[in-house]
Amino acid sequence: MTKYVAAIDQGTTSTRFIVFDHGGNVIAVDQKEHQQIYPKPGWVEHDALEIWARTQEVINWALKVRGLQSADIVAIGITNQRETTVVWDKNTGKPIYNAIVWQDTRTDVTINQLTKQGGQDLFRSKTGLPLATYFSGPKIKWILDNVPDARAKAENGELLFGNIDTWIIWNLIGREAHITDVTNASRTMLMDLSTLDWDAEILSALDIPRAMLPRIKSSSEIYGHVGAKSSHPSLGRKTLPLQGIPVAGDLGDQHSALFGQTCFNAGEAKNTYGTGCFMLMNTGENPVSSKAGLLTTLGYKIGGQKAVYALEGSIAITGALIQWLRDNLGLIQSSAEVEALAESVKDNGGIYFVPAFSGLYAPYWKSDARGAIVGLTRYVNKGHIARAALEATAYQTREVLDAMESDSGVKLTSLKVDGGMVFNELLMQFQSDILNVPVVRPKVAETTALGAAYAAGLAVGFWKDFDELKTNWGRDKEWQPAMDANMRKKLYSGWKKAVTRTFDWVE
């Protein structure tokens, strides 16, 4: 009987369940979106119960369409939107507040207070992260400080925290599985990169009880097996699919994409184009401190092997900008239409679109920045706006790549890419042009889910080692730079000028 490995890919806008064969090929997939909740400007929330419901739905549907049974699946891996924060009652299983999404900026007051105490790098020597609204720790503090009775319940041991991976695993396996992996833990701003454990000093500074935090595990080991029922049967959830199957892989989405792209050697890098854009470079078994505005983070940790670290450049808004053109402005009916609209003009018409909707992440880390379209004249039409929106992704990626080369001393010779936007030919060609390096898309573009599947498969022996995984990677398409050097310099100079116009907007 043919066996498969599956992955739950819980992202910012949707949840997917994907089944892979031994060659890393997609056998079955289903995907469902969930609601984006915007209670106030700068606030972004999700309904964690809706996400759990969508997770069960996509598992059931993908298996049904393909005619697969639980016995066909040997292991499940989890990958997830990082930093999105859920706090729930461990007795009822009900969240005490909506999940606060990674893009949310409501913790800026806490960040400003901490910055005044010790500067933006107050915790960077331990966590590899600057002080920013991006990370989970300040979000936990906000919930404890603002939800009635939350702090008292947390101190009494009644509440649990998790990023979305922890929430999904707890519901899949049962109450004994309150865990996370090193990659997700490294995004909370609460974990020491050297000890791979929660840091008492930072927990004290943010007034977060350690008892509500999950146990930190490796990215590839058997955490437990799918239970018969949800961890909160009072909510009326159906019997869980895939009962008894080991849950054996857990990586934050960008780390999972690094792993799925088989970037196993120091100096290898990938860029994922999704809601945001995230470039990671493997730096080996020692963390590299950034002097150019990047994050030092975990790459992955396989079982009892040493942890592998990475440098990361995080961009908040890329694919989300195309969704904004669709949902807020109505310029397009579907995200796929943006390419044709952008191609209706020969250039950007002299405009730049800086999508600092949630402030600016790498390499600036300015939470007080806000979005801007600059260079507008009456000549500009919706085609120019669409083109500038796509180009914004490429320019932001160039800024991150420049910082990565500065920190690592490694000049990239090509960039591996993945994510939904890599099928936009106009964007990928412009990306290659503005970077002046080849851009390479793999045969299996679902590398985020594939990385989680690889981690789970390694844990149960479905794949024996990294060499076997590397044989699965193959080139699908490559874009070569074709832009004149002077034009590249002129366009990028205009972008750098435009970015400065967004600084210090919020008083």
Side-chain angles (χ1 to χ4, degrees), residues 271 273 417-425 427-428 441-442 445 479:
N271 199 29
Y273 297 75
V417 298
D418 55 72
M421 297 180 81
V422 302
F423 296 98
N424 188 306
E425 300 277 338
L427 172 59
M428 290 296 100
R441 183 176 71 201
W479 291 266

Side-chain angles (χ1 to χ4, degrees), residues 172-217:
L172 277 175
I173 297 176
R175 296 167 183 266
E176 72 278 7
H178 183 219
I179 62 171
T180 190
D181 90 303
V182 291
T183 66
N184 278 290
S186 74
R187 312 301 297 191
T188 60
M189 207 170 74
L190 304 175
M191 189 191 81
D192 188 315
L193 288 177
S194 59
T195 65
L196 304 183
D197 198 6
W198 307 118
D199 184 82
E201 182 183 6
I202 299 175
L203 292 180
S204 176
L206 291 174
D207 199 13
I208 295 173
R210 184 184 177 112
M212 69 184 299
L213 303 181
R215 289 174 291 138
I216 301 173
K217 298 279 195 173

Side-chain angles (χ1 to χ4, degrees), residues 47-210:
D47 179 346
L49 290 178
E50 181 190 12
I51 286 175
W52 173 232
R54 296 288 174 269
T55 301
Q56 296 170 81
E57 289 167 10
V58 294
I59 294 172
N60 278 314
W61 187 250
L63 294 176
K64 180 179 179 181
V65 168
R66 184 66 185 185
L68 297 174
Q69 306 296 321
S70 294
D72 299 321
I73 310 297
V74 299
I76 305 168
I78 313 293
T79 184
N80 58 291
Q81 52 168 319
R82 305 168 304 168
E83 301 94 17
T84 295
T85 300
V86 188
V87 175
W88 67 96
D89 187 306
K90 74 176 184 181
N91 296 312
T92 67
K94 295 182 179 181
I96 64 168
Y97 189 80
N98 277 340
I100 301 180
V101 178
W102 57 274
Q103 299 160 318
D104 191 285
T105 61
R106 77 185 68 186
T107 58
D108 54 354
V109 173
T110 296
I111 296 303
N112 291 336
Q113 290 172 344
L114 290 169
T115 301
K116 289 177 182 177
Q117 294 176 24
Q120 194 175 34
D121 292 337
L122 180 62
F123 301 141
R124 189 188 279 269
S125 63
K126 290 183 176 180
T127 66
L129 310 175
L131 294 176
T133 58
Y134 185 17
F135 306 111
S136 312
K139 294 177 172 63
I140 302 171
K141 176 176 170 57
W142 188 94
I143 291 173
L144 296 182
D145 289 344
N146 289 276
V147 176
D149 301 324
R151 183 163 294 283
K153 288 183 177 180
E155 291 174 350
N156 198 38
E158 298 174 42
L159 299 184
L160 301 178
F161 151 75
N163 290 335
I164 295 292
D165 67 312
T166 300
W167 169 246
I168 296 293
I169 291 171
W170 190 82
N171 280 294
L172 277 175
I173 297 176
R175 296 167 183 266
E176 72 278 7
H178 183 219
I179 62 171
T180 190
D181 90 303
V182 291
T183 66
N184 278 290
S186 74
R187 312 301 297 191
T188 60
M189 207 170 74
L190 304 175
M191 189 191 81
D192 188 315
L193 288 177
S194 59
T195 65
L196 304 183
D197 198 6
W198 307 118
D199 184 82
E201 182 183 6
I202 299 175
L203 292 180
S204 176
L206 291 174
D207 199 13
I208 295 173
R210 184 184 177 112

